[in-house]
C-alpha cells in the first residue's frame, strides 16, 4: 500500500512537472510568435494634446464646406496619425495627389473656403508635422514619378517617390548620393527635414539638390536652387512643408561603387580621434555607421564602427538585384525582447558583436573582387537598401520613438558622458543608439550651424499617459544637456520641448516664421507642428 501511494505521489509530481514544462513551452512559443509578428495595422493610440502647456487640438469647423467632387478624395473627414501612433488628429479630408493639377486645384479650393493645407506622404515624423486639425491633407505618395539622366548623373523626381523604389530603379549602375540610413522615407519628407545618413562625405540631402520646382500658396510655380531664388531654397529645404509644395526636384546621383565591408569595436570616447585620423582623411571610405552599445554592462561605452571602403567604381555586369533584409522575424524578436530588461539587452549586444558578421550578405562575387581575397564585397546600394521591417511590430500598447541630438565635435565626449547618465537613470528601454557625421548646414532653420556629431536614439515607451510623461521628461533632460554643450535637437520628432529649449536651440526661429508669413501671408500651409512652434515662439 505504501509503495502504491509513493508511486501515486511520483506520478502526480511527474504529471505536474510535465504540465509546468508543457505550459512553459506553450507560453514561450506563443510569446516568441507574438514578438516575431509584423504589424496587423497602424498604431493609433490617441494624441499627445499639448506642448509646454499649450493645447494642440482645435475646435471642429462650424460650417465645413462641401467637398469638391472634381478632387480625388481618399477620405472625407476622419482621423490621421503618424509613425508614433500618438498624434491622432481629425482632418477635413485627404486628397490623393497624382498630378500638378490636383495640387493647384486643392490649393485653390482651400483658399476659397478658408481651409489649411498640410503635406503628407509616409508620415514618419512624430509630432503632427504632416497634418493639422481640420486641414485638407495632400497625400503625395502616388505623386512619385522618377526619371534618370545617366549622362548628367541626375534624377528628377516627384516628392512622393520612396528611396526604396528609387534604389531599385537606379541599380545596378547608379546609387543615391544622400538620404537617411534607411530607405522607408519619401523624397519630399527628406527634403522637408534636410535629412542626412550614412555617407559622411556627401552630408545632407541639401548638398545633392540641383534645383526644385515649387508651387507657392497663391498657386504660382517657381524654380529655386543653391544659385537661383536662394532664399526660398533655404526655406523649402528643412522647412517642414510650410513654404510650398515641391512639384519635382533634380538630385545628384553617383556610381554604384563596390565596397569592402569591415567593422571594429572601439571605445566611444575614442571616436573623435578615430574619425579625425581614420575616417575623415580616407576618401575611399564611402559609407560609415557608428553603433553604440545599449547593453547595461557597457552602456554607450563601446561602439561598433561599420565602414565601407571603395575597391571599384562600378559593380560587375552580372550584379544581381538588391536583396531585401533577411531574418526579419528573428531580428524582430531580439529587438522586442530587448524591451524586457538587462539580460535581453546584453543578448542583443552579443548578437550584434558576434553573430551579425557571420550572416553578412556579400553581394558582389569574389571572382570580381580585384585581388580582395576573401573580403566581403557589397555595392553602395546594398547597405542603403534597408527598410528595417524588423523595427515594426504588432505591440499596440507600446511605441518606439526616435530622438536626435547634434553636438559640436569638440564637445562629444563630455556630452556622451552626461547623456549616458541621464539614460541610465530613467526607465524607458533604449533600443538603439548610433552616431552620425554632420556638416555645417546652410539652411534657414539649421540643425548644424557648425560641423557636428549626432546621437540618434530609438527609445521604447508605453502609449499611456505615464509613458508619455516619462518620454517628455527624458526628452527635456536630453535637450537641456545638448544645449549646455552648444548643440541642437532635431525637430521632426515628438513635441515634448519647452519654449525655452526651442528658442535656445533655434534662435533663428523668429526670422524663419517671419519668412513664412512673407511667402505665405495667409498661412495656407499649416500643421500641428507649425502651430506648436508658433505658440512657443510667441508669434501670433
Amino acid at each position: 500500500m505504501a509503495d502504491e501511494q509513493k508511486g501515486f505521489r511520483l506520478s502526480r509530481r511527474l504529471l505536474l512537472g510535465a504540465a509546468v514544462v508543457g505550459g512553459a513551452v506553450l507560453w514561450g512559443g506563443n510569446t516568441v510568435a507574438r514578438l516575431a509578428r509584423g504589424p496587423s495595422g497602424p498604431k493609433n493610440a490617441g494624441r499627445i494634446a499639448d506642448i509646454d502647456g499649450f493645447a494642440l487640438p482645435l475646435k471642429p469647423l462650424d460650417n465645413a464646406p462641401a467637398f469638391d467632387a472634381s478632387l480625388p478624395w481618399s477620405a472625407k473627414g476622419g482621423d490621421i496619425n503618424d509613425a508614433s501612433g500618438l498624434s491622432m488628429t481629425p482632418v477635413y479630408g485627404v486628397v490623393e495627389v497624382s498630378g500638378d493639377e490636383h495640387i493647384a486645384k486643392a490649393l485653390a479650393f482651400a483658399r476659397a473656403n478658408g481651409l489649411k493645407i498640410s503635406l503628407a506622404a509616409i508620415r514618419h515624423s512624430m509630432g503632427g508635422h504632416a497634418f493639422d486639425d481640420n486641414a485638407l491633407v495632400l497625400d503625395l505618395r502616388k505623386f512619385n514619378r522618377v526619371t534618370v539622366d545617366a549622362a548628367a548623373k541626375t534624377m528628377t523626381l516627384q516628392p512622393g517617390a520612396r528611396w526604396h523604389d528609387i534604389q531599385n530603379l537606379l541599380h545596378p549602375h547608379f546609387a543615391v548620393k544622400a538620404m537617411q540610413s534607411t530607405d522607408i522615407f519619401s523624397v519630399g519628407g527628406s527634403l522637408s527635414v534636410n535629412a542626412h545618413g550614412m555617407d559622411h562625405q556627401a552630408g545632407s540631402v541639401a548638398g545633392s539638390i540641383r534645383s526644385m520646382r515649387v508651387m507657392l500658396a497663391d498657386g504660382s510655380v517657381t524654380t529655386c536652387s543653391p544659385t537661383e531664388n536662394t532664399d526660398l531654397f533655404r526655406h523649402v529645404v528643412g522647412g517642414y512643408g510650410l513654404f510650398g509644395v515641391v512639384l519635382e526636384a533634380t538630385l545628384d546621383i553617383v556610381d554604384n561603387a563596390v565596397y569592402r565591408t569591415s567593422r571594429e569595436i572601439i571605445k566611444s570616447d575614442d571616436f573623435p580621434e578615430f574619425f579625425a585620423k581614420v575616417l575623415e582623411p580616407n576618401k575611399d571610405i564611402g559609407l560609415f555607421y557608428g553603433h553604440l552599445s545599449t547593453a547595461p554592462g557597457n552602456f554607450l561605452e563601446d561602439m561598433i564602427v561599420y565602414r565601407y571602403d571603395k575597391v571599384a567604381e562600378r559593380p560587375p555586369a552580372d550584379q544581381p538585384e538588391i536583396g531585401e533584409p533577411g531574418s526579419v522575424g528573428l531580428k524582430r524578436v531580439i529587438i522586442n525582447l530587448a524591451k524586457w530588461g538587462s539580460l535581453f539587452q546584453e543578448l542583443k549586444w552579443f548578437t550584434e558583436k558576434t553573430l551579425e558578421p557571420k550572416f553578412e550578405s556579400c553581394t558582389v562575387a569574389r571572382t570580381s573582387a580585384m585581388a580582395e581575397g576573401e573580403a566581403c564585397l557589397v555595392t553602395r546600394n546594398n547597405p542603403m537598401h534597408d527598410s528595417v521591417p524588423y523595427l515594426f511590430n504588432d505591440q499596440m500598447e507600446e511605441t518606439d520613438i526616435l530622438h536626435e541630438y547634434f553636438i559640436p565635435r569638440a564637445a562629444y565626449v563630455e556630452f556622451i558622458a552626461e547623456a549616458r547618465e541621464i539614460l541610465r537613470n530613467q526607465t524607458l528601454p533604449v533600443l538603439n543608439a548610433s552616431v552620425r557625421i554632420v556638416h555645417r548646414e546652410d539652411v534657414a532653420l539649421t540643425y548644424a550651424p557648425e560641423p557636428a556629431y549626432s546621437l540618434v536614439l530609438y527609445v521604447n515607451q508605453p502609449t499611456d499617459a505615464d509613458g508619455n510623461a516619462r518620454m517628455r521628461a527624458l526628452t527635456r533632460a536630453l535637450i537641456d544637456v545638448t544645449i549646455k554643450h552648444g548643440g541642437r535637437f532635431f525637430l521632426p520628432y515628438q513635441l515634448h520641448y519647452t519654449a525655452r529649449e526651442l528658442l535656445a536651440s533655434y534662435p533663428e526661429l523668429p526670422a524663419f516664421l517671419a519668412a513664412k508669413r512673407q511667402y505665405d501671408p495667409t498661412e495656407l500651409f499649416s500643421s500641428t507642428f507649425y502651430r506648436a512652434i508658433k505658440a512657443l515662439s510667441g508669434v501670433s
Side-chain angles (χ1 to χ4, degrees):
M1 185 68 178
D3 288 340
E4 290 179 4
Q5 289 178 338
K6 183 178 179 181
F8 176 73
R9 287 196 298 270
L10 286 173
S11 299
R12 187 167 59 183
R13 288 174 183 170
L14 285 171
L15 287 171
L16 181 60
V20 169
V21 170
V25 169
L26 182 62
W27 176 86
N30 288 337
T31 299
V32 168
R34 181 171 59 87
L35 296 180
R37 196 163 56 227
S40 57
K43 295 186 180 182
N44 206 17
R47 183 177 191 177
I48 296 172
D50 79 287
I51 179 168
D52 198 17
F54 290 93
L56 294 173
L58 296 176
K59 294 188 298 184
L61 296 172
D62 289 331
N63 295 294
F67 293 96
D68 183 340
S70 66
L71 283 169
W73 300 97
S74 62
K76 297 179 179 180
D79 295 323
I80 197 168
N81 213 323
D82 56 32
S84 72
L86 294 169
S87 302
M88 187 169 66
T89 300
V91 298
Y92 168 76
V94 179
V95 169
E96 191 173 73
V97 171
S98 58
D100 293 13
E101 68 279 6
H102 297 148
I103 298 170
K105 184 173 288 189
L107 266 58
F109 175 75
R111 289 194 303 269
N113 290 279
L115 297 171
K116 300 298 184 184
I117 291 284
S118 294
L119 310 179
I122 310 299
R123 304 200 306 272
H124 271 288
S125 294
M126 294 183 168
H129 298 70
F131 43 81
D132 198 9
D133 295 70
N134 310 319
L136 191 166
V137 178
L138 301 184
D139 181 349
L140 301 168
R141 286 176 293 177
K142 292 187 177 179
F143 192 50
N144 59 4
R145 186 181 65 245
V146 182
T147 57
V148 176
D149 185 334
K153 283 193 175 180
T154 63
M155 57 181 177
T156 299
L157 31 71
Q158 294 172 328
R162 291 190 314 148
W163 294 111
H164 186 88
D165 301 323
I166 292 165
Q167 289 171 323
N168 285 329
L169 178 66
L170 293 177
H171 190 76
H173 302 295
F174 298 108
V176 172
K177 181 179 180 180
M179 55 172 268
Q180 292 97 318
S181 58
T182 61
D183 65 11
I184 57 179
F185 307 99
S186 68
V187 170
S190 298
L191 296 174
S192 76
V193 304
N194 191 26
H196 61 97
M198 295 173 67
D199 190 327
H200 59 290
Q201 297 185 59
S204 72
V205 68
S208 71
I209 303 172
R210 296 278 185 98
S211 66
M212 299 184 294
R213 286 179 58 244
V214 180
M215 185 176 291
L216 302 177
D218 63 3
S220 63
V221 176
T222 188
T223 299
C224 62
S225 74
T227 58
E228 181 183 4
N229 290 328
T230 55
D231 185 68
L232 178 61
F233 178 84
R234 293 179 68 252
H235 284 86
V236 172
V237 180
Y240 295 90
L242 298 174
F243 288 81
V245 186
V246 175
L247 301 179
E248 64 179 17
T250 299
L251 308 181
D252 291 324
I253 57 178
V254 297
D255 290 324
N256 187 27
V258 176
Y259 296 133
R260 180 182 65 250
T261 71
S262 65
R263 65 181 75 194
E264 60 185 292
I265 299 176
I266 66 172
K267 290 296 182 184
S268 172
D269 286 357
D270 294 337
F271 175 71
E273 182 180 10
F274 184 88
F275 175 72
K277 292 185 176 180
V278 178
L279 294 178
E280 191 171 33
N282 189 342
K283 301 307 178 185
D284 281 334
I285 301 176
L287 301 174
F288 144 81
Y289 182 69
H291 182 67
L292 290 162
S293 169
T294 54
N298 58 352
F299 186 72
L300 302 192
E301 292 176 0
D302 288 350
M303 174 192 287
I304 304 175
V305 176
Y306 301 80
R307 56 185 276 189
Y308 298 82
D309 292 70
K310 184 167 66 175
V311 299
E313 294 292 339
R314 297 174 185 83
D318 59 349
Q319 183 63 29
E321 294 181 358
I322 319 174
E324 299 299 327
S327 305
V328 171
L330 176 60
K331 291 177 182 177
R332 187 180 286 128
V333 168
I334 292 171
I335 286 283
N336 284 330
L337 283 174
K339 302 167 186 177
W340 290 10
S342 301
L343 176 64
F344 295 107
Q345 286 279 13
E346 296 287 354
L347 173 64
K348 177 174 172 287
W349 179 242
F350 172 79
T351 63
E352 290 162 353
K353 284 193 306 180
T354 61
L355 298 183
E356 277 188 2
K358 300 181 187 303
F359 295 97
E360 187 171 23
S361 179
C362 305
T363 60
V364 178
R366 290 193 177 107
T367 54
S368 306
M370 299 163 216
E372 289 297 319
E374 292 300 303
C376 181
L377 301 180
V378 298
T379 73
R380 180 182 177 91
N381 280 326
N382 294 120
M384 297 176 74
H385 193 68
D386 186 358
S387 298
V388 290
Y390 41 86
L391 295 182
F392 305 110
N393 57 59
D394 205 31
Q395 314 299 306
M396 293 299 184
E397 72 284 356
E398 63 180 46
T399 188
D400 302 321
I401 301 298
L402 276 165
H403 299 233
E404 187 164 4
Y405 304 94
F406 303 94
I407 308 300
R409 292 182 185 174
Y412 170 85
V413 173
E414 293 80 7
F415 166 77
I416 288 290
E418 294 188 45
R420 181 184 298 121
E421 290 309 303
I422 291 169
L423 291 162
R424 273 178 170 165
N425 291 301
Q426 57 86 43
T427 56
L428 298 176
V430 181
L431 303 178
N432 196 53
S434 59
V435 173
R436 298 281 190 274
I437 307 302
V438 180
H439 304 296
R440 179 180 178 272
E441 294 297 332
D442 184 22
V443 296
L445 201 60
T446 181
Y447 49 72
E450 62 180 292
Y453 299 125
S454 78
L455 174 66
V456 184
L457 301 171
Y458 199 53
V459 184
N460 178 255
Q461 68 155 92
T463 54
D464 58 13
D466 176 65
N468 292 332
R470 284 188 281 159
M471 185 63 79
R472 177 162 289 188
L474 172 61
T475 303
R476 291 180 177 181
L478 290 169
I479 291 174
D480 284 343
V481 74
T482 301
I483 293 169
K484 174 183 173 181
H485 291 286
R488 301 187 173 200
F489 66 97
F490 208 9
L491 290 169
Y493 303 127
Q494 286 186 302
L495 307 180
H496 283 327
Y497 38 87
T498 66
R500 175 190 61 79
E501 290 170 332
L502 176 63
L503 292 169
S505 282
Y506 293 92
E508 57 277 281
L509 181 60
F512 175 86
L513 294 173
K516 156 70 173 171
R517 293 297 294 268
Q518 175 189 342
Y519 285 104
D520 182 10
T522 64
E523 299 175 285
L524 180 71
F525 298 110
S526 189
S527 64
T528 305
F529 164 76
Y530 174 58
R531 290 192 295 109
I533 61 174
K534 272 185 60 182
L536 296 191
S537 67
V539 173
S540 58

